[in-house]
């Protein structure tokens, strides 16, 4: 803008408008905290060589490239895949480091793939290792089956080593002796089977991925999941990911599962409680909680009772989901072909999909869950009658209508005004959008002109929210109000440097119970 006018002419000046538009924040970005197979930093990125800081991932392909895909000792990869399968578009992955236990693979026998023939373990914790077992063709008539096999070691599909003519005998080509004395990548241990003939111990042909043992994660401390805001690790590291609106930690189940297969319920509930407390403190994120595995309806009620949290910043889901096991060996039985996973990843995808198609005010319920074979445990209507009032959202099977999320409640058990997930998420959306969209007002002269500009800005934003169907009311005056005048900004408050704006909104709430009252009618009388 010109400050003086010397020569005659036409001068063009830019004048700021009376209000600044508020742009709504995103609500469909999730964060997953847990274990991954490995970490490969993006080319040229030297900021986080250990891969513990939140990393934005926008597709399953990108996740596989950065973190190495599925792992037998991690549930996070299955949650991330479920998120993208159900409509999620972007998420942050927060990798929790674990010990450097080397990955391994168990090779079954040709007669029964469920019976161990031998075990292959990586010498170093190198990711993406595979072993290929090759067997010669069948024996001719009257001949004994060939008892030799070839073992090849691959990494990322590229062959590293090959060992041919291996046997389980005591000769010079004994598998343990040849591989363990020669290989620089793997070690072989042969399972001893008393009374088993050599042909019964021969391995099945196929490709076997070396995976980290599930028990390798048990040495991780619960504090590692909480992490540090300063170091940008764990849940607290999400302070740098301000677009995240939902958080899931499926590997809390991995951490709570002891080496002997028992489940540490107290430890699991304690870690979930800390996650809920952190989300409540942040006021911008909701925790999606997984029920412990294998619970019946009564045990699920006990779980929330022990959790002892009444919070609108958390939502609980039950039961676990059964999916196809991507790590199952060829020819595996039904018990191995499928596996149960916690529902939080799939549910987060449903939340994101509902936001994109309907809006954050729509309850993420009565929505199909994709990528699932069946439920770990079917929930009846009678069981949900008990679970729903306690804030446990059930996933149910409806035959031809598929598997659907059939609940939209938070864990706010003491304050019914925050009972529903879409209400809490709508307020997170409104609060964050207004906070970010009014930063321009800081340090402006605190007078009536500023008050009116702020009111116009917020009124324009809320009018758009009302038009989208997120607020109740036939007119904007019935849906919301914005007050910023002398009544809430007296001289004493202005002297303290405060600008107070009172905003009230009437959110829509889901029709959780649809009731038809039907009676007999005799028709109109003459």
């Amino acid at each position: 803008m010109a400050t003086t006018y010397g020569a005659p002419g036409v001068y063009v000046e830019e004048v700021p408008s009376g209000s600044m538009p508020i742009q709504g924040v995103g609500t469909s970005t999730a964060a997953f905290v847990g274990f991954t197979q490995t970490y490969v930093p993006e080319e040229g990125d030297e900021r986080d060589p250990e891969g513990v800081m939140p990393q934005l991932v926008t597709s399953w392909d990108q996740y596989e490239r950065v973190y190495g895909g599925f792992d037998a000792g991690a549930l996070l990869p299955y949650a991330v895949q479920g998120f993208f399968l159900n409509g999620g578009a972007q998420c942050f992955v927060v990798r929790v480091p674990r010990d450097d236990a080397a990955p391994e693979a168990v090779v079954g026998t040709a007669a029964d793939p469920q019976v161990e023939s031998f075990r292959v373990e990586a010498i170093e914790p190198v990711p993406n290792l595979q072993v290929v077992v090759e067997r010669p063709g069948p024996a001719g008539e009257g001949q004994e089956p060939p008892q030799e096999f070839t073992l090849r070691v691959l990494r990322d599909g590229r062959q590293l080593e090959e060992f041919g003519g291996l046997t389980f005998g005591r000769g010079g080509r004994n598998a343990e002796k040849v591989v363990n004395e020669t290989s620089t990548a793997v070690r072989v241990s042969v399972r001893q089977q008393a009374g088993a003939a050599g042909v019964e111990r021969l391995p099945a042909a196929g490709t076997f991925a070396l995976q980290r043992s599930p028990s390798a994660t048990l040495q991780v401390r619960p504090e590692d999941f909480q992490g540090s805001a300063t170091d940008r690790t764990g849940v607290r590291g999400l302070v740098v990911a301000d677009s995240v609106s939902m958080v899931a930690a499926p590997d809390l189940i991995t951490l709570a599962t002891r080496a002997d297969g028992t489940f540490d319920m107290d430890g699991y509930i304690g870690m979930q409680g800390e996650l809920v407390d952190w989300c409540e403190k942040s006021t911008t994120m909701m925790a999606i909680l997984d029920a412990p595995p294998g619970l019946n309806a009564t045990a699920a009620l006990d779980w929330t009772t022990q959790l002892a949290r009444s919070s609108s910043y958390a939502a609980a889901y039950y039961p676990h989901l059964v999916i196809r096991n991507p790590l199952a060996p060829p020819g595996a039985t039904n018990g191995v072909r499928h596996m149960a996973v916690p529902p939080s990843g799939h549910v987060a995808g449903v939340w994101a999909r509902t936001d994109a198609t309907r809006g954050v005010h729509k309850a993420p319920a009565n929505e199909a869950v994709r990528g699932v074979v069946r439920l770990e445990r079917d929930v009846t209507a009678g069981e949900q009658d008990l679970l729903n009032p306690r804030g446990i959202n059930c996933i149910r099977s409806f035959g031809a209508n598929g598997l659907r999320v059939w609940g939209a409640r938070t864990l706010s058990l003491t304050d019914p005004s925050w009972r529903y997930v879409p209400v809490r998420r709508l307020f997170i959306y409104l609060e964050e959008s207004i906070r970010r969209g009014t930063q321009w007002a800081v340090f402006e002269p605190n007078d009536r002109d500023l008050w009116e500009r702020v009111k116009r800005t917020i009124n324009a934003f809320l009018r758009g929210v009302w038009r989208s169907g997120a607020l109740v009311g036939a007119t904007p005056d019935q849906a919301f109000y914005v007050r910023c005048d002398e009544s809430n900004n007296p001289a004493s408050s202005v002297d303290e440097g405060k600008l107070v704006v009172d905003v009230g909104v009437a959110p829509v709430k889901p029709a959780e119970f649809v009731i038809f009252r039907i009676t007999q009618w005799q028709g109109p009388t003459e």
Side-chain angles (χ1 to χ4, degrees), residues 24 46 80 88 119 142 156 163 197-198 244 278 368 406 474:
E46 299 179 354
V80 173
R119 187 180 300 262
D156 294 322
F163 306 94
V244 170
W278 188 84
W406 207 246

Side-chain angles (χ1 to χ4, degrees), residues 34-376:
F35 305 124
T36 67
Q37 185 184 98
T38 184
Y39 173 74
V40 180
E42 298 286 352
E43 185 176 354
D45 185 3
E46 299 179 354
R47 297 170 302 167
D48 185 24
E50 299 298 324
V52 295
M53 292 177 60
Q55 168 81 33
L56 179 64
V57 176
T58 58
S59 69
W60 174 246
D61 290 339
Q62 182 188 4
Y63 177 89
E64 286 188 301
R65 185 174 68 253
V66 175
Y67 292 101
F70 299 105
D71 190 291
L75 290 171
L76 183 144
Y78 304 96
V80 173
Q81 186 194 50
F83 174 75
F84 287 118
L85 282 176
N86 282 276
Q90 60 182 19
C91 66
F92 281 86
V93 174
V94 184
R95 174 178 172 269
V96 176
R98 51 184 177 179
D99 63 9
D100 289 332
E104 63 179 14
V106 176
V107 179
T109 65
D112 185 352
Q114 304 307 310
V115 176
E116 180 181 325
S117 173
F118 65 91
R119 187 180 300 262
V120 183
E121 181 178 358
I123 296 176
E124 299 290 341
V126 177
N128 304 330
L129 279 180
Q130 294 177 312
V131 291
V132 178
V133 177
E134 297 176 346
R135 295 278 310 283
E141 186 176 353
Q143 297 180 351
E144 291 187 3
Q147 299 189 22
E148 297 180 350
F149 62 93
T150 298
L151 183 70
R152 295 192 293 122
V153 182
L154 285 68
R155 181 179 182 187
D156 294 322
R158 181 176 59 87
Q159 181 168 308
L160 300 179
E161 300 170 334
E162 179 175 344
F163 306 94
L166 300 179
T167 68
F168 290 143
R170 298 184 178 181
R173 300 300 295 174
N174 174 271
E176 277 186 310
K177 181 176 184 297
V178 171
V179 176
N180 295 348
E181 291 181 357
T182 310
S183 176
T184 60
V186 298
R187 291 288 180 267
V188 168
S189 57
V190 178
R191 179 178 181 269
Q192 299 301 321
Q193 302 180 46
V199 68
E200 297 174 342
R201 300 165 55 191
L202 289 176
T207 301
F208 305 87
L210 273 66
Q211 301 290 338
R212 195 185 304 265
S213 170
S215 62
T217 62
L218 299 180
Q219 298 181 19
V220 178
R221 301 173 304 165
E223 292 80 4
D224 294 327
F225 268 84
Q226 289 297 316
S228 165
T230 303
D231 298 331
R232 307 293 191 258
T233 60
V235 174
R236 295 191 178 100
L238 291 172
V239 294
V240 299
D242 56 4
S243 61
V244 170
S245 65
M246 41 188 155
V247 184
D251 274 314
L252 291 181
I253 292 176
T254 310
L255 187 60
T257 303
R258 303 185 181 97
D260 60 1
T262 59
F263 193 77
D264 181 8
M265 182 67 80
D266 291 340
Y268 181 68
I269 290 174
M271 291 183 287
Q272 282 191 324
E274 291 176 357
L275 178 61
V276 174
D277 294 343
W278 188 84
C279 288
E280 194 162 49
K281 183 179 179 181
S282 76
T283 71
T284 61
M285 307 178 192
M286 286 191 67
I288 303 178
L289 303 183
D290 299 303
L295 299 187
N296 57 26
T298 303
L301 286 175
D302 293 340
W303 161 56
T304 54
T305 301
Q306 295 177 57
L307 184 61
R309 292 294 191 283
S310 178
S311 173
S312 66
Y313 289 92
Y317 287 84
Y318 168 86
H320 283 211
L321 312 175
V322 176
I323 66 170
R324 184 186 64 82
N325 184 359
L327 301 178
T333 61
N334 288 336
V336 179
R337 282 203 312 244
H338 301 114
M339 61 180 294
V341 297
S344 55
H346 293 71
V347 168
V350 171
W351 285 22
R353 185 176 79 218
T354 306
D355 289 356
T357 58
R358 299 289 301 276
V360 69
H361 61 280
K362 164 66 172 68
N366 197 4
E367 298 286 340
V369 185
R370 303 169 183 166
V372 179
V373 176
R374 57 180 173 82
L375 301 176
E376 183 185 43

